[in-house]
Amino acid sequence: MFFNWIKLNLLLIFIFANIYPTFHLTGPSQIYSEIIPISINDEKVILAKTRLIENYLGTHGEVTVKYGFCLIENKSISEFKGIRLESPKNNNTQEYYKKLKFWDAIFYGETTNSQLKEITSYLKLDNSYDSVNVKSYYKNKKLKKSIFEEEYKLKLAETPQLSLKNGQSDDYEKTKDILVLYDFGDILILHNEFFYVEDDLVGASFNYYHPWFDANRNEHSVKYEEYVITGIIFK
């Protein structure tokens, strides 16, 4: 759903960026806080890939993208730094989008056992992650909020989702649907999304804020307007 929207916007941005190297329109502020599981060990600790974009200016152009990894366990998310793709400072947009395409393909693509070995070596983890073994936990199941709470025996208002950089769900008031990406038993991984162009809220909103300055240059903290957030529920 949102992948097609992203691809269309990236295509338009790429076209305009090549025609007009200084092309930078602004729109709603956006945050992408994404987590994709890779492997789970015998202790039920999940190793995952991460991707974070904080576009608080709503720039339709090149923004910094942070790729990394995390361990999900004991009601916490431990993050590890990886690749940081900076927005270009010399109008070299072609190189930026070339790298973005490369690293996004790795992030969204299926991780191989060979890549897993490289990741565990880079993170200096033990040998407990010996294979990419999360496919059987993948559900991609959309449920009405009431049905989700009944099926999983949870009260969402009392069981917040956690995400990267200490993000936490804070509002289900307008929520109709809950999208379960993975079900690891005691750990659920959910998809949360909102874009004005689709006007379709999935999941919860989160307590991600960014600085905003009024006409008098007074600083305020305001919520991101649009988002794609992977949330973790510990049952």
Side-chain angles (χ1 to χ4, degrees):
M1 179 168 55
F2 70 95
F3 290 112
N4 291 333
W5 185 86
I6 293 172
K7 289 177 182 176
L8 174 60
N9 276 269
L10 284 176
L11 177 62
L12 293 173
I13 290 167
F14 181 80
I15 292 171
F16 279 99
N18 280 277
I19 298 174
Y20 306 105
T22 57
F23 172 75
H24 287 287
L25 294 177
T26 60
S29 58
Q30 297 178 336
I31 184 166
Y32 293 77
S33 178
E34 300 172 274
I35 302 171
I36 298 180
I38 302 172
S39 182
I40 182 170
N41 65 13
D42 292 339
E43 285 72 42
K44 304 303 180 185
V45 181
I46 301 168
L47 171 63
K49 300 179 284 189
T50 64
R51 181 178 184 267
L52 181 69
I53 299 176
E54 296 175 280
N55 182 9
Y56 66 88
L57 293 177
T59 302
H60 291 309
E62 306 77 38
V63 294
T64 297
V65 186
K66 302 173 186 175
Y67 302 92
F69 306 95
C70 71
L71 291 176
I72 303 169
E73 63 172 329
N74 297 329
K75 300 188 183 300
S76 67
I77 302 172
S78 302
E79 298 180 51
F80 301 88
K81 292 181 180 179
I83 296 295
R84 181 185 176 103
L85 178 58
E86 298 282 0
S87 57
K89 296 179 174 57
N90 56 358
N91 290 328
N92 188 4
T93 56
Q94 286 188 330
E95 183 65 19
Y96 171 87
Y97 286 108
K98 180 180 178 181
K99 291 181 178 179
L100 179 65
K101 181 179 179 180
F102 175 80
W103 289 113
D104 272 1
I106 291 177
F107 178 74
Y108 292 116
E110 186 173 343
T111 303
T112 65
N113 286 328
S114 176
Q115 290 172 328
L116 173 61
K117 187 175 181 180
E118 293 180 15
I119 293 167
T120 55
S121 175
Y122 169 76
L123 299 178
K124 296 180 171 56
L125 299 177
D126 57 31
N127 296 323
S128 62
Y129 298 98
D130 55 3
S131 66
V132 177
N133 57 3
V134 297
K135 187 173 292 186
S136 63
Y137 300 95
Y138 184 66
K139 304 303 178 186
N140 195 29
K141 181 170 63 174
K142 183 182 284 189
L143 301 168
K144 296 299 180 184
K145 179 185 172 185
S146 59
I147 296 176
F148 170 87
E149 291 185 320
E150 180 180 351
E151 181 173 328
Y152 288 94
K153 296 178 173 54
L154 289 171
K155 291 292 184 182
L156 288 169
E158 301 170 4
T159 314
Q161 300 180 51
L162 304 183
S163 194
L164 304 177
K165 304 300 179 185
N166 298 314
Q168 184 171 308
S169 61
D170 61 2
D171 187 7
Y172 287 94
E173 184 178 347
K174 298 179 181 179
T175 301
K176 295 181 180 178
D177 298 315
I178 303 296
L179 180 54
V180 181
L181 293 178
Y182 291 85
D183 182 354
F184 291 94
D186 290 338
I187 298 175
L188 299 176
I189 299 183
L190 309 184
H191 175 77
N192 306 271
E193 171 191 339
F194 177 74
F195 288 104
Y196 286 116
V197 69
E198 296 178 355
D199 194 26
D200 183 19
L201 172 65
V202 176
S205 65
F206 277 66
N207 63 348
Y208 284 116
Y209 291 84
H210 65 84
W212 177 78
F213 295 88
D214 62 25
N216 297 318
R217 303 302 297 167
N218 297 313
E219 183 175 347
H220 307 271
S221 290
V222 297
K223 265 190 173 185
Y224 282 92
E225 298 167 276
E226 298 184 337
Y227 53 84
V228 172
I229 300 170
T230 308
I232 312 296
I233 285 183
F234 297 93
K235 296 169 66 178

